[in-house]
Each structure stands twice: as C-alpha cells, then as structure tokens.
C-alpha cells in the first residue's frame, strides 16, 4: 500500500539500485532507544539514531487483507549497555515499537525523513550469549492488530459502567436480570428490577401494521 513517500524517495525506490536503511524506535519505560541497521549516527525527527550493529537485522514485514496480528523480530546487539540494560531489567511487555524505512543518496545522507512502515508492541526477548554471531538479543513484536485477540477485562456491570461513564443507567438493572427466568406472558416469571413476581409482559402477536 502507499506509505506517503516523498517524491524524491519514490524516484529513488524505483531506481535499479537503491540504498536503504531501517530504523527502530523502542519505547522502554526508562526512555526511548533509537537505532538503525547501518553505520554511524543519523539525526532526524529531533533524535539521534545510533547504528554500528545495535540493530543488526529486522525480519520481513508482512501485511495482508485479513485482520491478523503479524509479528516481526528485531535482532539487537547484546553488548550494547543501553539495549541490554533495558532488555534485562525493565518490564518491556506491550511497550510500543515503531519501524521506519529511510533511503540514502550517493553520500549516504537521508533523502528525507524516514517513513513509518510498522507499529506494534514488544512481546518477548530472547538472549543468546556466545552464539556464532556474537551476543544477540532477539525482540519479537506484534502489530497493533494483536489487541483484537486480547481480552479487555471490562465487565458488563453497573459498577464498571459508572467508573467509565458516570450517570449512564444502561446497566442499572443488570444485577436483577442476572439469573432471572422470564416466561413471556406467564405470571410465574421471576421479579425483575423491583417488579412484583406476578408481573407479566404482554407481547403483541398480531399482524404488522
């Protein structure tokens, strides 16, 4: 789908050879870490984005027509004190992650501010020490669509509704309805919302007007 790339970036992407750089924004509770998978430091968006292996790889970013919580995996340097400190000591679960794509010119300068490609939240970190590729932290993140598969933990009770929308009476009689046996037109129906047990509800069964 279109990402709203600037014209000069679109022209570069359509060329036969193009230099790309990926950026990752990891919003830990202690502060946000800005990384990229190239060399040196790029400054844009008011932040310094650090390279030199801190962000060594990003798995393929997938999209589809179905509503599915696509995930990605970011490989981070396990030797970087900033990254490893946050990964090993902080509660990172469900913290925001953003991935951007930037295009470089012949001088390795950004043609424009990178465009956001993916947004989601951190799910799991795995630490590999002494692996062939060195010490690596693998961060798995899920897209924002994953929230559709998670329970909201909101209850259909008057107390819950009042805490969110004070004065809303939609669930005022919810506690009285719970477990009540309603027999349409039967005087033996259970009392609901203070009504006498003999109360019946007349249902019109005649032809539509």
């Amino acid at each position: 789908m279109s990402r709203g790339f600037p014209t000069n970036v679109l022209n570069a992407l359509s060329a036969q050879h193009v230099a790309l750089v990926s950026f990752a924004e990891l919003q830990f509770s202690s502060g946000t870490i800005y990384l990229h998978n190239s060399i040196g430091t790029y400054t844009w968006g008011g932040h310094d984005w650090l390279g030199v292996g801190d962000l060594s790889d990003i798995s393929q970013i997938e999209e589809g027509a179905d509503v599915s919580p696509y995930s990605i995996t970011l490989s981070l340097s396990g030797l970087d004190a900033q990254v490893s400190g946050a990964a090993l000591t902080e509660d990172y679960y469900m913290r925001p992650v953003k991935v951007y794509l930037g295009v470089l010119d012949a001088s390795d300068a950004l043609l424009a501010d990178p465009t956001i490609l993916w947004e989601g939240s951190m799910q799991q970190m795995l630490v590999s020490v002494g692996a062939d590729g060195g010490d690596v932290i693998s961060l798995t993140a899920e897209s924002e669509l994953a929230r559709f598969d998670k329970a909201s933990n909101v209850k259909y009770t008057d107390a819950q509704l009042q805490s969110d929308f004070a004065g809303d009476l939609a669930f005022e009689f919810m506690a009285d309805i719970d477990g009540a046996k309603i027999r349409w037109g039967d005087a033996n129906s259970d009392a609901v919302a203070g009504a006498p047990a003999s109360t019946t509800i007349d249902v019109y069964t005649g032809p539509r007007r």
Side-chain angles (χ1 to χ4, degrees):
M1 68 173 61
S2 174
R3 295 291 179 182
F5 289 107
T7 301
N8 59 340
V9 172
L10 285 174
N11 293 337
L13 289 173
S14 63
Q16 185 173 3
H17 300 286
V18 59
L20 303 176
V21 58
S22 298
F23 295 83
E25 177 181 328
L26 310 179
Q27 299 181 29
F28 289 98
S29 57
S30 62
T32 302
I33 298 177
Y34 302 92
L35 308 172
H36 68 82
N37 63 347
S38 187
I39 299 175
T41 300
Y42 288 100
T43 301
W44 61 272
H47 306 289
D48 291 332
W49 302 72
L50 308 178
V52 196
D54 287 337
L55 175 62
S56 58
D57 186 43
I58 299 177
S59 65
Q60 181 178 355
I61 296 177
E62 297 182 82
E63 286 186 338
D66 58 325
V67 180
S68 179
Y70 296 102
S71 62
I72 63 172
T73 299
L74 292 80
S75 297
L76 311 172
S77 170
L79 296 178
D80 186 276
Q82 185 182 24
V83 175
S84 60
L88 300 178
T89 62
E90 295 188 28
D91 182 8
Y92 58 82
Y93 182 67
M94 294 299 291
R95 299 292 301 176
V97 176
K98 294 181 181 180
V99 175
Y100 303 80
L101 178 66
V103 178
L104 306 177
D105 61 17
S107 302
D108 288 335
L110 288 169
L111 290 176
D113 283 355
T115 302
I116 188 167
L117 285 183
W118 189 92
E119 289 185 78
S121 57
M122 306 181 201
Q123 297 294 313
Q124 185 179 23
M125 284 193 185
L126 299 176
V127 181
S128 299
V129 180
D132 292 339
D135 298 335
V136 176
I137 298 174
S138 296
L139 168 61
T140 300
E142 288 186 342
S143 71
E144 292 183 334
L145 294 177
R147 298 183 181 181
F148 286 105
D149 293 335
K150 300 182 184 299
S152 63
N153 295 322
V154 174
K155 299 179 180 179
Y156 289 94
T157 63
D158 184 58
Q160 177 75 58
L161 184 62
Q162 294 307 312
S163 66
D164 296 331
F165 305 98
D168 192 325
L169 303 180
F171 292 162
E172 182 180 9
F173 302 119
M174 185 64 72
D176 298 315
I177 296 174
D178 184 27
K181 295 181 175 63
I182 307 299
R183 302 177 182 87
W184 295 103
D186 190 338
N188 295 318
S189 294
D190 292 346
V192 175
S198 59
T199 298
T200 61
I201 300 176
D202 295 328
V203 179
Y204 178 73
T205 59
R208 284 187 173 182
R209 296 182 181 181

